[in-house]
Amino acid sequence: MSTNTTTIDVAAGTPFIDTSRDFDAAPERVFQAFTDPELVVKWLGPRRLEMRLESYDAHTGGSYRYTHLDGQGNEFGFRGVFHEVQEPFRIIQTFEFDGAPGQVTLDTTRFEDLGGRTRVVQHSVFPSVEARDMAVASGMDSGIKESMDRLEELLA
């Protein structure tokens, strides 16, 4: 059982969500898990959902699109653009859920070297406090935590 836990900070009255998690792997390995499409499908999203990766071009100026499918035939599409991919330090990208068109989030992910371990720090900026609150109400925190647990398993 891991001693690493995912911290999610949702400060009242701000359009931000801040997440952090430590991993027992070097920044290069963790960064690769965020940028290699063959690895992304193994950890991103809840276990109960299947991921169909339509495109994933993780470089500055690239884009992505994927769909999560549940057992009842429901599909949940996501897409975005990679604004900056600086290996193995930082990824800046947009994130948009098809179910909330126009509610584009800007995510910055930093990979901090802890001497053979890595702290992943994510800062998400929503277009409004209301959009952020809707995302939180959708249960995204459990999806984030489960994804981080799955990532840790992949890196083990």
Side-chain angles (χ1 to χ4, degrees), residues 24-155:
D24 299 322
E28 294 78 11
R29 283 191 58 223
V30 181
F31 186 90
Q32 180 185 17
F34 272 76
T35 57
D36 181 335
E38 292 182 14
L39 298 177
V40 168
V41 297
K42 295 180 179 181
W43 68 268
L44 185 59
R47 291 178 207 282
R48 63 182 169 73
L49 300 177
E50 175 191 338
M51 181 188 232
R52 182 176 64 224
L53 194 59
E54 295 155 39
S55 66
Y56 202 85
D57 187 12
H59 75 275
T60 299
S63 63
Y64 68 91
R65 179 161 181 75
Y66 62 86
T67 303
H68 279 132
L69 303 103
D70 69 13
Q72 291 75 48
N74 297 305
E75 297 187 4
F76 310 95
F78 303 89
R79 62 192 160 108
V81 175
F82 292 100
H83 288 265
E84 179 186 70
V85 178
Q86 186 183 20
E87 184 176 353
F89 305 106
R90 181 174 57 220
I91 299 169
I92 300 173
Q93 68 187 70
T94 60
F95 176 84
E96 186 173 1
F97 171 47
D98 288 350
Q103 300 298 310
V104 181
T105 303
L106 182 64
D107 296 332
T108 300
T109 304
R110 294 190 334 267
F111 302 84
E112 299 176 356
D113 190 343
L114 303 176
R117 301 178 72 237
T118 304
R119 176 166 296 141
V120 174
V121 178
Q122 295 178 301
H123 178 69
S124 297
V125 181
F126 289 77
S128 66
V129 174
E130 294 76 22
R132 192 270 324 253
D133 290 348
M134 284 179 22
V136 171
S138 76
M140 73 173 283
D141 60 329
S142 63
I144 290 171
K145 289 176 182 176
E146 191 169 351
S147 290
M148 294 295 105
D149 290 346
R150 293 179 70 196
L151 176 56
E152 183 171 63
E153 293 164 12
L154 177 67
L155 294 167

Side-chain angles (χ1 to χ4, degrees), residues 18-30:
D18 291 298
T19 305
S20 70
R21 172 76 176 247
D22 292 356
F23 294 94
D24 299 322
E28 294 78 11
R29 283 191 58 223
V30 181

